[in-house]
Amino acid sequence: MGWWQISTDTLATSRFVVSPLAETVASLRTLERAVAAHPREHAWLERWLPAYWRLRSEEPLSARIVRAALTPRWSADFLTPAPVPPPAGQEPDTFAQELARVRATPPERARADLAVALRRPLPAALDRDDLAGRSADVLEWVWTRAVAPEWSARRRVLEADVIARSAQLSRGGWAQALDGMRPGMRWLGESRLQINTYDNPPRELGGAQLVFTPVTADVGWVCWDIPHRYGVVYPCAGALADPGRAPVPQALGVLIGPARAKVLVLLASPLSTTQLTALTGQGLGSVGRHLRVLLDAGLVRRRRDGRSVLYFRTAAGDGLVRAAG
């Protein structure tokens, strides 16, 4: 198995980071495999897959580079740099800033990374100096057309996932927060984190920084900027990955209002007000008012979970949702 030896200091300074570049790489992976993990992703694929196929036919060399860089077992490191956490009080890097690091990859490093991903010497057609630039062009195409127009909504979902993971961390420590974060990943104890089930030698992270980055697609990978930073990119779980998966019955929307009905439908599993804000797109004040009405009506309850207050449907709330359709 592949595992990392992580010191107490590394764990203490680890961060969750939302990365527009990681979200774009995850979207590119989804386009490459052309398989959706949930209804929202299916609708997104239906819209953008034909245009992406046209891009591949118009730029066959770039398409070949991307396919070589994103193999099922390994990703070329230059295409998936570890996100850089912002200093306290500052905004995280923009997509343009993150993409600039991809473009700045030295040609010899890009060739070496691609050979590792392919697990064989580069074919003559890929032994080039413009691997990073062509890959960055494809990423920019995916971001500009298919990710940026809905980035605000995606970012709210990603930030809600970070809040949920942080709550897990406060309740059960790193073992609970990391177990099952991505397939094959679990906390082994004795400062060891299994990151996959491959037969790779262990890595000693030492004084490196560790970052965790959620994406909305059902994909994940590990990345690094040795010796400074290591990262784990993981898929959002459950409702956070697909906030549109629970449609609001029309009759329920007529009865209590569509916005309040959306909150009630989402509370099939416990969620905080911040998560509900991210999933519904409503303001925090509006969500709070809906929750007060639902609490007074006995349709939801709340409980404290560490530093968070979680809301969930009662039996009466479940019955109302079922009766409405």
Side-chain angles (χ1 to χ4, degrees):
M1 75 182 74
W3 56 272
W4 292 346
Q5 188 78 38
I6 303 174
S7 69
T8 303
D9 288 342
T10 296
L11 276 180
T13 59
S14 61
R15 298 273 299 278
F16 285 91
V17 181
V18 171
S19 164
L21 178 62
E23 180 70 8
T24 304
V25 172
S27 297
L28 176 57
R29 280 186 170 276
T30 301
L31 289 167
E32 278 290 313
R33 70 182 184 179
V35 176
H38 45 70
R40 183 202 63 78
E41 198 167 76
H42 178 75
W44 182 85
L45 268 179
E46 280 194 330
R47 180 179 183 187
W48 291 109
L49 195 55
Y52 182 67
W53 281 341
R54 287 195 298 271
L55 174 69
R56 292 203 310 187
S57 65
E58 294 166 359
E59 299 287 347
L61 179 57
S62 296
R64 184 175 179 182
I65 293 169
V66 167
R67 286 196 301 272
L70 299 177
T71 67
R73 182 183 174 95
W74 200 265
S75 300
D77 290 349
F78 74 87
L79 200 60
T80 56
V84 179
Q90 295 189 23
E91 291 294 316
D93 287 345
T94 64
F95 174 79
Q97 290 171 316
E98 292 188 299
L99 189 66
R101 289 197 286 273
V102 176
R103 290 193 184 278
T105 305
E108 61 276 9
R109 183 193 156 190
R111 286 194 292 268
D113 288 351
L114 202 62
V116 172
L118 288 171
R119 306 177 70 187
R120 59 184 172 87
L122 286 183
L126 299 182
D127 190 4
R128 310 169 55 92
D129 286 347
D130 61 350
L131 298 175
R134 283 181 173 271
S135 301
D137 287 343
V138 175
L139 286 171
E140 189 166 26
W141 184 96
V142 175
W143 165 260
T144 302
R145 288 162 177 77
V147 178
E150 54 187 58
W151 173 240
S152 294
R154 291 194 186 204
R155 183 177 57 202
R156 288 196 300 269
V157 170
L158 297 173
E159 289 171 346
D161 184 89
V162 169
I163 292 169
R165 297 285 178 179
S166 300
Q168 280 186 311
L169 179 60
S170 66
R171 290 195 308 268
W174 284 106
Q176 182 171 331
L178 300 181
D179 279 0
M181 182 178 278
R182 55 185 297 267
M185 182 169 161
R186 63 190 181 98
W187 185 251
L188 299 174
E190 298 180 351
S191 300
R192 295 176 302 158
L193 175 63
Q194 177 182 313
I195 58 170
N196 55 46
T197 56
Y198 300 152
D199 187 19
N200 295 327
R203 287 180 178 265
E204 171 63 58
L205 269 59
Q209 188 176 36
L210 184 59
V211 296
F212 300 96
T213 300
V215 292
T216 59
D218 187 27
V219 298
W221 62 88
V222 295
C223 48
W224 42 66
D225 176 15
I226 300 173
H228 309 293
R229 189 173 299 105
Y230 288 77
V232 175
V233 178
Y234 65 92
C236 290
L240 294 177
D242 180 22
R245 71 175 181 170
V248 177
Q250 183 177 4
L252 184 63
V254 172
L255 179 64
I256 64 175
R260 188 167 299 151
K262 181 66 172 177
V263 172
L264 184 61
V265 167
L266 284 170
L267 289 178
S269 57
L271 295 169
S272 69
T273 53
T274 305
Q275 290 171 311
L276 286 167
T277 299
L279 295 172
T280 62
Q282 302 174 33
L284 187 60
S286 296
V287 168
R289 286 191 292 274
H290 295 322
L291 288 171
R292 281 195 294 273
V293 172
L294 295 172
L295 281 166
D296 290 344
L299 299 176
V300 303
R301 290 179 182 166
R302 62 186 173 188
R303 62 178 172 83
R304 181 163 293 280
D305 189 13
R307 287 177 290 182
S308 298
V309 176
L310 300 180
Y311 295 82
F312 55 96
R313 284 203 309 250
T314 61
D318 288 339
L320 181 59
V321 172
R322 285 196 302 270

